Each structure stands twice: as C-alpha cells, then as structure tokens.
Amino acid sequence: MTPSISLAPRYRLDDELPWLVGIDPARYYWITVNGDVDTPVALPGLMVSSLSEFKQTVRKFRLLQPQQQMQVVRTTNSWTIHCISSNCYAVEVDSAIPVWHLFDQEALESLLMTAHPDWQCAERDIDLGRQMLVRSLEQSLVA
C-alpha cells in the first residue's frame, strides 16, 4: 500500500525560500536547488505547437495517478513527470547526472501553464535566455 501523503520536501508556490528564479523565453524553468542562489539550474519546460496540444498535455498531467508517468518531449530533449502521490510529482531531468526534482501539483501545473501560446516571459527573465545561450556557447568551445 502506498502512503497517501508524501513527507518529502518539494517545491511549492508558497515556499518560504524562493526557489523559482524565472522562466526564460524558451520556457526553461530556472530554479535554485538546495537554496544555492549562486548557481541556478535550468530545467527544460513544456513547449507546444498549438493550443490543442497545450490543452491535451495539461489534461494528461491532471489525470496522472500515483505510480504513473508522462513523457514531455521538446525538440532537443525530453523529460518525464512521475506522479509519486496525490500532491507530489517528480520531474526527471536527464542531464550529465540524472536528477529528480520534486514539486507539488500547484507549482508544477503553474510551470506547465507557461506553455500556453499567449504566455510571455517577464521582462527581467529575458536575460535568463541569454545566460542559457552563453552556457551553450561555453560548452561547445570547451568540448
């Protein structure tokens, strides 16, 4: 039997420590991990090509039951949402080291809502996209 309440710490919108740095124009979710504000992490976000695809993805997320998962595909990479319990979701990001980030339903759904075709990032978050570009250029120069 699976416990109905998970006591694992997770990202919540009403968290005491601010964990969401911002969301860049390419819909990467910039978060601080373990309160480390000096090195934010960019998680690939949901991107859709149409309003119907957006609605379908959000509905699929809302229907997830414990032990189920859904694959989120971007053009260059993909990630997985795992439903751990009724209000605990793990976002599995496969980078150099596979990592799972835990979110409550409200926080993760709010992030997914930024995939809506009419969504625009905040003015201050445009610079996050520039940081992503600089990071990718640095990686290609080093390799």
Side-chain angles (χ1 to χ4, degrees):
M1 178 176 221
T2 319
S4 60
I5 298 175
S6 171
L7 299 178
R10 65 199 92 167
Y11 299 109
R12 299 182 336 254
L13 290 181
D14 62 350
D15 219 335
E16 295 150 6
L17 298 173
W19 53 270
L20 182 62
V21 176
I23 303 166
D24 70 21
R27 291 171 172 85
Y28 277 84
Y29 312 140
W30 290 74
I31 63 172
T32 59
V33 179
N34 298 328
D36 184 3
V37 294
D38 295 327
T39 54
V41 173
L43 304 178
L46 175 62
M47 288 191 74
V48 296
S49 57
S50 67
L51 185 57
S52 61
E53 184 183 355
F54 168 75
K55 290 177 181 179
Q56 179 183 9
T57 304
V58 171
R59 282 187 195 117
K60 188 175 178 183
F61 169 72
R62 289 178 178 166
L63 292 173
L64 280 177
Q65 296 297 312
Q67 314 307 313
Q68 292 181 335
Q69 61 190 28
M70 69 180 270
Q71 192 77 19
V72 179
V73 179
R74 288 180 62 114
T75 53
T76 57
N77 52 17
S78 66
W79 47 284
T80 307
I81 298 174
H82 299 269
C83 181
I84 307 299
S85 68
S86 64
N87 194 26
C88 184
Y89 297 84
V91 172
E92 177 185 2
V93 180
D94 194 17
S95 55
I97 301 170
V99 177
W100 286 30
H101 300 277
L102 298 180
F103 292 88
D104 72 359
Q105 183 173 1
E106 182 182 23
L108 187 52
E109 188 169 322
S110 294
L111 292 176
L112 295 175
M113 290 296 165
T114 64
H116 191 280
D118 294 337
W119 178 85
Q120 294 180 355
C121 77
E123 189 74 31
R124 69 179 190 284
D125 293 343
I126 292 174
D127 190 46
L128 294 172
R130 291 185 187 114
Q131 288 179 31
M132 178 67 74
L133 182 60
V134 168
R135 282 184 180 181
S136 67
L137 290 173
E138 288 173 348
Q139 287 178 350
S140 63
L141 292 174
V142 172

